[in-house]
Amino acid sequence: MTITAMTTTTATTPALTALTDEDCLAETHAFNAQFEAAAATRPSRSTTPDAATLARLRANRLGGDTPPVRLPQAQERILPGGVGVRAFVPEHVDGVYLHIHGGAWAFGSADGQDERLWNLARHTRLAVLSVDYRLAPEHPFPAGPDDCETAARWLVDHAETEFGTRRLMIGGESAGAHLSVLTLLRLRDRHGVTGAFRAANLVYGPYDLSMTSSQRLFGSRQLLSNTESLRGSYELCTPGLDAERRRDPGISPLFADLTGLPPARIVVGTEDPLLDDSLFLATRWQAAGAPAHLGVVAGAMHGFTLFPLTITEREQQRERDFLAGA
């Protein structure tokens, strides 16, 4: 089944907008139901989580209740400006992927997905650098975007010396996808840098922090993210701002001028409250003149790649193919 985006395309900006993985719907729906049934035992994602809840969420891997696995292949680095990155460097390096982790801008970390990032580095021959940006509520907006901008600017200047390549990609999941787009916009608008990053890999990101219709209408369904958890995340990250002020293009990239950005791969699930965000961003990305390949995963909830599902295996392979070929 093909979903056709409402875009104007040319020979240089082909539409590739497909509903994928319909053959996995039974497994995906069963997992969603199991996840919802276990909602009562999961840590609360309230608007203002107490210190104990926030500490528990930060200590465990995203979407789980156990600490993440940390691999010896990782290299910890502190960049000029004090921004930390966790690097995975394979034996042969053909490019560098700047990864920005998810976690609602308030949890998650650069050392929270070592196994996935090391596998990505090995299979794509990319050095993978994950940014350990500052988190809300201790460090609200714009601390996180500032750190990602610093890391990206350093990579533009030093990738060839450090890794022997100027072939750069950027991307992330959820809040990390949002921060990836903001980083590209800041490089363009603050530093005049366009074309340094050849591709953007954007996985189920929020691009309108004033809330698109799919966010507002999703309701209270107890999947990994819903209307109230999103609203709470925005209040935690951008305290004191109302919806109108969150439409600022420097906060919500869906409202930004997207010209000069690289080809993008944009992924979202049909059961994700952020569905509209990806659909709209892909449309505007292509209208601004760059290819935007939109993949909509049948039945997938927000954060589905955190769980051992067939759709996760397929998504990770598609991600590797995209980054290796960028």
Side-chain angles (χ1 to χ4, degrees), residues 149-162 165-166 168 187 191 193 196-197:
E149 177 188 351
T150 296
R153 192 72 184 90
W154 178 86
L155 197 55
V156 169
D157 291 339
H158 298 283
E160 189 167 20
T161 301
E162 295 280 338
T165 180
R166 294 186 63 83
L168 307 179
L187 287 176
H191 307 285
V193 174
F197 285 86

Side-chain angles (χ1 to χ4, degrees), residues 166-182:
R166 294 186 63 83
R167 179 171 169 259
L168 307 179
M169 282 73 70
I170 190 171
E173 306 79 38
S174 193
H178 165 265
L179 290 169
S180 295
V181 182
L182 288 190

Side-chain angles (χ1 to χ4, degrees), residues 170 184 195 197-200 258 260-265 285 290-292:
I170 190 171
L184 290 170
F197 285 86
R198 298 188 181 191
L258 300 178
L261 301 190
R265 176 175 179 270
W285 204 284

